Amino acid sequence: MSVSVSREVARRVFANEFNVATHTFKESEDERAPNYVLFPTGIRANRVFIVGTLTQLDNIGNDSEWWHGRISDPTGIFHIYSGQYQPNSTSVLRKLDPPTYVAVTGKPNVYSREDDGLTVSIRPESVTEVDSLTRARWVAETAIQTLERISSFRENPTQYAEKAKTHYGEDLTIHHDAALLALESLTEPL
C-alpha cells in the first residue's frame, strides 16, 4: 500500500508582503512538521509561487555553485538562493540571462543576519522562464487574491488572521495599496 503525501498549496504573494513576513511557526512538535511563514494578510505558507523579472543573477558560491537572484514584481524585490540542494532550479538558473521573466515555486526562508536582523528569501523548487502575458496574469491574480485576503482579514478573520494581527498589527493599507498599484501597472490586456 502506497501512502500519498500531498504538497501544500504554493501561495501567491507580492514582494512587499513577503519581505515583511518574519513570523515562522510549526503546527506540531513533530520534527518533520512543515515550517510556515505567517503573512500580514492572514495566511500561512510553507510554499510560495511568484512571477517577476529576474533582474540580477550571481554565482556567489566559493567552493560550489550557490546562485543569488533578484526578482522584481510591481511591489518590490524577492531574493532567491539556489545551490546543491536545489539541483533542478540551479540547473535552470545557470542558463538564464537577466533580464527575463521567471516563475518560481519555492520555500520561504527566514533567517537572522548579524548586520540587518531578519531576512526573508526563497529556496526555489522550480524556476521556469515565462513570457510577459504569464507575468501579467500572475500580477492580476495575485492582486485579486491579496485584496480577498484583506477583506477576509477584516470581515471574517481566520485563526491565522488573528495571529497576524498579533504579530504585524491590523493596518493592511500598504498591502491594499500595493495590490491596487500592481493592477494599475498592467498595460497589456489579459
Side-chain angles (χ1 to χ4, degrees), residues 122-184:
I122 299 171
R123 289 185 319 252
E125 298 169 340
S126 69
V127 177
T128 306
E129 196 166 9
V130 297
D131 60 18
S132 62
L133 184 57
T134 301
R135 179 211 171 259
R137 285 187 177 141
W138 178 86
V139 168
E141 291 170 10
T142 302
I144 290 166
Q145 288 183 17
T146 300
L147 294 171
E148 287 172 349
R149 288 195 308 264
I150 291 170
S151 177
S152 177
F153 179 94
R154 292 178 178 149
E155 296 169 17
N156 189 19
T158 64
Q159 70 179 18
Y160 302 111
E162 294 298 340
K163 284 183 181 183
K165 288 177 185 179
T166 300
H167 190 74
Y168 303 110
E170 294 188 36
D171 186 2
L172 298 178
T173 304
I174 191 168
H175 304 300
H176 179 270
D177 293 351
L180 293 179
L181 287 172
L183 283 172
E184 290 172 10

Side-chain angles (χ1 to χ4, degrees), residues 57-69 80-86 90 93-94 109 111 121-124:
L57 185 62
D58 299 299
N59 184 355
I60 59 173
N62 292 326
D63 298 329
S64 62
E65 281 185 297
W66 183 246
W67 292 91
H68 169 241
I80 64 169
Y81 290 92
S82 185
Q84 67 181 356
Y85 298 112
Q86 298 82 31
T90 300
L93 288 170
R94 179 183 310 125
N109 186 30
Y111 57 97
S121 66
I122 299 171
R123 289 185 319 252

Side-chain angles (χ1 to χ4, degrees), residues 69-140:
R70 291 172 49 105
I71 299 172
S72 173
D73 78 6
T75 72
I77 303 291
F78 295 96
H79 292 270
I80 64 169
Y81 290 92
S82 185
Q84 67 181 356
Y85 298 112
Q86 298 82 31
N88 295 337
S89 299
T90 300
S91 173
V92 171
L93 288 170
R94 179 183 310 125
K95 298 171 189 168
L96 292 177
D97 187 24
T100 188
Y101 295 124
V102 292
V104 175
T105 302
K107 300 272 188 184
N109 186 30
V110 178
Y111 57 97
S112 181
R113 296 177 64 161
E114 292 176 15
D115 55 344
D116 61 359
L118 295 176
T119 302
V120 185
S121 66
I122 299 171
R123 289 185 319 252
E125 298 169 340
S126 69
V127 177
T128 306
E129 196 166 9
V130 297
D131 60 18
S132 62
L133 184 57
T134 301
R135 179 211 171 259
R137 285 187 177 141
W138 178 86
V139 168

